[in-house]
């Protein structure tokens, strides 16, 4: 019964959402997992829960005019897709990048439903952003854009309705400008309306590190399920933003050695292990390019216009962007003996790569499970804001670690329950889906 509904639904998704390949890819993966449920839950088919879940509750598209430093009016497009609020207020980041379009935001929002469900915290799924590129812009230009963006967005967000955070291109600087404008317009110091805030004005310790830490913790849990760990392993990491930097940091803390980092210009390979302080200085302080790393570090080499998947490693953590790791890259990693892959980004492995990993002996952790640490810690920030409290770094990191361990356990247990032991994709999708579906059933047709 459910199987037949899924076939019809996917055809309908393709027809109703043309030219949105990333959204199609995300839906296809989830629907494929739900087939394993068979006819165990006819109530989901009767209430058309899957159909409802594939349609956003609200899609907002708006113009964002702003004035650059030369006095020229620029126009960008803003988005907020509020996908599902069955478990709590919409929760998901804002992405500022030239590649942003409605299909990208919908794919990210759809993934967020299941990721947020897996955390066990009361948050729904949403995502937003703009095709604005903060790279190369002055602080004043970024401020003017953020203020214009919030003039429209403010009417849709709040601690009980929709709580955005950061994503690619949106860090503490952008969150500061966005929150300042929200406070100015609403005349409310509503800390819970945005997360990823500065520590002196309502932010949470560990939030900056959370996604990267969480991905490394999840990878370590996968290896522990096979009676090993990250200790003593060599790890390749893509990206060089917050997720990649703090994934590298946690890998080192757990005894592994991360040997790569990348950006859009190429990647560096440091056989002695990435010098974390140098990387932070280049990318966080100077906002420089990854190639500058080899100017200081003689043990490293820079490979332009490429990704680091040809480097022989034990573990791979793709932490840059969607569909960065292709089927051909997966084959290289498998040939070179990779043991585990945990996604620090959203859907960084394309369909061919996922299939290759799952058809081999490689442990593969999908992003909706492996990179849930960021949104989990955002929800912990919301808890602190609601309590007018601030937690220590150690306590918050302990909570994050427990959440990632629980996500890992739920994925394995659910995969086992539905006859696919060790399949983290199946486990993550079904576990995330069922919690949301049961809430939707309880609410009736809304």
């Amino acid at each position: 019964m459910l199987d037949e509904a899924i076939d019809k639904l996917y055809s309908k998704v393709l027809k109703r959402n043309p030219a949105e390949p990333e959204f199609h890819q995300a839906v296809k993966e989830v629907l494929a997992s739900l087939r394993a449920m068979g006819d165990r839950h006819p109530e989901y088919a009767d209430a058309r829960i899957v159909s409802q879940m594939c349609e956003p509750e609200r899609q907002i598209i708006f113009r964002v005019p702003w004035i650059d430093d030369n006095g020229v009016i620029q126009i960008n497009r803003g988005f907020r897709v509020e996908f599902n609020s069955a478990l709590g207020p919409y929760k998901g980041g804002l992405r500022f990048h030239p590649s942003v379009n409605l299909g990208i935001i919908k794919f990210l929002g759809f993934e967020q439903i299941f990721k947020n469900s897996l955390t066990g915290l009361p948050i729904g799924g949403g995502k937003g952003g703009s095709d604005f590129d903060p790279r190369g812009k002055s602080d004043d230009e970024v401020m003017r854009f953020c203020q214009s963006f919030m003039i429209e967005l403010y009417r849709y967000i709040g601690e009980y309705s929709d709580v955005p955070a950061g994503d690619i291109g949106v860090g503490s600087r952008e969150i500061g400008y966005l929150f300042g404008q929200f406070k100015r317009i609403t005349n409310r110091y509503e800390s819970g309306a945005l997360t990823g805030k500065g520590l002196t004005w309502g932010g949470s310790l560990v939030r900056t590190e959370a996604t990267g830490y969480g991905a490394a913790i999840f990878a370590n849990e996968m290896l522990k399920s096979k009676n090993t760990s990250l200790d003593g392993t060599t790890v390749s990491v893509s990206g060089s933003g917050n997720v990649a930097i703090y994934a590298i940091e946690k890998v080192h803390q757990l005894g592994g050695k991360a040997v790569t980092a990348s950006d859009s210009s190429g990647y560096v390979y440091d056989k002695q292990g990435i010098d974390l302080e140098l990387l932070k200085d280049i990318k966080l302080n100077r906002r420089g390019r990854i190639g500058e790393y080899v100017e200081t570090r003689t043990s490293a080499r820079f490979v332009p216009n490429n990704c680091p998947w040809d480097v022989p490693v034990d573990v791979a953590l793709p932490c840059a962007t969607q569909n960065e790791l292709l089927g051909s890259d997966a084959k290289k990693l498998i040939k070179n003996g990779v043991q585990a892959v945990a996604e620090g980004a959203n859907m960084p492995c394309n369909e061919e790569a996922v299939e290759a990993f799952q058809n081999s002996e490689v442990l593969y952790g999908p992003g909706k499970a492996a990179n849930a640490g960021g949104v989990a810690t955002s929800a912990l920030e919301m808890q602190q804001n609601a309590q007018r409290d601030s937690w220590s770094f150690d306590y918050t990191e302990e909570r994050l670690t427990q959440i990632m361990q629980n996500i890992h356990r739920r994925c394995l247990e659910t995969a086992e329950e539905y006859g696919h032991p060790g399949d983290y994709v199946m486990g993550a999708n079904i576990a995330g889906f069922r919690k949301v579906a049961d809430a939707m059933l309880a609410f009736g047709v809304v």
Side-chain angles (χ1 to χ4, degrees):
M1 190 184 303
L2 184 61
D3 205 47
E4 293 176 9
I6 284 171
D7 287 334
K8 293 179 181 177
L9 174 59
Y10 187 62
S11 296
K12 189 174 182 179
V13 167
L14 294 178
K15 185 176 180 179
R16 296 186 71 178
N17 303 275
E20 296 178 355
E22 294 85 2
F23 179 55
H24 301 162
Q25 181 181 344
V27 172
K28 183 179 179 181
E29 181 208 274
V30 171
L31 296 184
S33 295
L34 297 185
R35 291 182 189 278
M37 296 170 63
D39 294 332
R40 292 199 202 185
H41 300 281
E43 68 274 20
Y44 296 155
D46 293 343
R48 302 192 67 192
I49 293 296
V50 185
S51 297
Q52 292 187 61
M53 210 177 290
C54 289
E55 188 68 25
E57 293 176 8
R58 189 177 294 107
Q59 300 181 70
I60 304 148
I61 304 176
F62 51 95
R63 182 181 63 196
V64 188
W66 58 281
I67 300 174
D68 67 20
D69 286 343
N70 296 317
V72 177
I73 297 173
Q74 302 291 337
I75 306 294
N76 286 97
R77 182 174 289 176
F79 304 89
R80 189 67 180 172
V81 174
E82 297 176 331
F83 226 113
N84 191 290
S85 58
L87 298 182
Y90 309 103
K91 187 80 191 78
L94 299 170
R95 175 176 293 192
F96 291 170
H97 192 272
S99 66
V100 166
N101 56 44
L102 181 59
I104 294 287
I105 297 301
K106 284 170 67 177
F107 124 67
L108 292 168
F110 185 73
E111 288 278 291
Q112 204 78 40
I113 299 170
F114 308 97
K115 181 190 304 184
N116 293 1
S117 172
L118 286 170
T119 67
L121 299 169
I123 44 177
K127 206 74 177 183
S130 173
D131 56 3
F132 172 77
D133 188 357
R135 191 172 63 182
K137 304 292 193 302
S138 70
D139 286 351
D140 285 344
E141 288 176 319
V142 173
M143 180 184 69
R144 287 193 289 271
F145 171 81
C146 289
Q147 290 176 338
S148 181
F149 186 86
M150 185 53 76
I151 284 173
E152 181 65 27
L153 185 67
Y154 88 93
R155 69 194 74 226
Y156 304 106
I157 68 172
E159 62 181 312
Y160 299 114
S161 55
D162 186 350
V163 184
D167 193 84
I168 294 173
V170 179
S172 58
R173 174 183 61 171
E174 289 76 16
I175 292 294
Y177 294 147
L178 290 165
F179 185 72
Q181 186 74 337
F182 177 82
K183 184 172 73 71
R184 180 185 185 190
I185 294 170
T186 63
N187 194 32
R188 296 196 306 270
Y189 203 110
E190 190 177 324
S191 297
L194 283 164
T195 59
K197 301 182 293 297
L199 294 177
T200 59
W201 44 279
S204 171
L205 290 164
V206 190
R207 179 59 190 91
T208 302
E209 298 87 350
T211 308
Y213 275 21
I217 292 166
F218 194 89
N220 196 48
E221 291 300 309
M222 288 198 299
L223 291 169
K224 284 164 64 176
S225 74
K226 299 297 183 181
N227 300 314
T228 181
S229 71
L230 278 174
D231 190 21
T233 61
T234 302
V235 181
S236 61
V237 177
S238 66
S240 51
N242 276 345
V243 179
I245 286 171
Y246 292 106
I248 292 170
E249 183 167 281
K250 180 54 70 173
V251 165
H252 290 176
Q253 291 175 5
L254 293 172
K257 180 172 70 173
V259 294
T260 68
S262 69
D263 62 18
S264 58
S265 66
Y267 76 87
V268 292
Y269 168 59
D270 190 337
K271 61 184 178 182
Q272 293 185 2
I274 292 294
D275 183 326
L276 198 56
E277 294 309 310
L278 175 60
L279 182 62
K280 287 180 178 179
D281 181 53
I282 293 169
K283 301 303 291 188
L284 301 183
N285 298 334
R286 291 189 257 154
R287 298 181 186 270
R289 306 301 285 160
I290 198 67
E292 297 173 28
Y293 183 93
V294 300
E295 297 172 6
T296 303
R297 188 80 164 174
T298 58
S299 59
R301 60 183 173 89
F302 175 62
V303 181
N305 304 316
N306 213 332
C307 294
W309 312 125
D310 54 350
V311 177
V313 292
D314 304 305
V315 177
L317 302 178
C319 295
T321 191
Q322 68 269 6
N323 291 325
E324 59 167 298
L325 199 160
L326 309 179
S328 56
D329 299 318
K331 291 174 183 176
K332 291 176 189 175
L333 286 165
I334 294 166
K335 182 179 178 180
N336 288 330
V338 73
Q339 300 170 33
V341 177
E343 295 185 333
N346 292 298
M347 207 169 69
C349 299
N350 74 358
E351 291 181 74
E352 291 76 17
V354 174
E355 184 178 359
F357 291 137
Q358 292 195 304
N359 288 338
S360 69
E361 297 299 316
V362 175
L363 297 166
Y364 167 68
K368 60 173 61 71
N371 77 12
V375 73
T377 307
S378 280
L380 298 182
E381 181 177 327
M382 292 167 65
Q383 288 187 27
Q384 293 169 74
N385 293 159
Q387 297 169 355
R388 299 292 193 268
D389 198 1
S390 180
W391 302 342
S392 71
F393 189 99
D394 288 346
Y395 176 73
T396 310
E397 186 180 8
E398 181 183 344
R399 290 287 306 273
L400 168 64
T401 300
Q402 291 171 349
I403 290 169
M404 296 310 299
Q405 290 172 339
N406 287 338
I407 292 173
H408 178 267
R409 176 183 52 77
R410 286 184 65 200
C411 289
L412 278 189
E413 289 178 353
T414 304
E416 180 82 28
E417 179 184 352
Y418 286 89
H420 292 264
D423 188 333
Y424 287 94
V425 175
M426 194 77 70
N429 286 329
I430 295 178
F433 170 82
R434 285 185 58 186
K435 186 175 181 182
V436 179
D438 289 343
M440 292 173 70
L441 279 175
F443 297 156
V445 180
V446 293

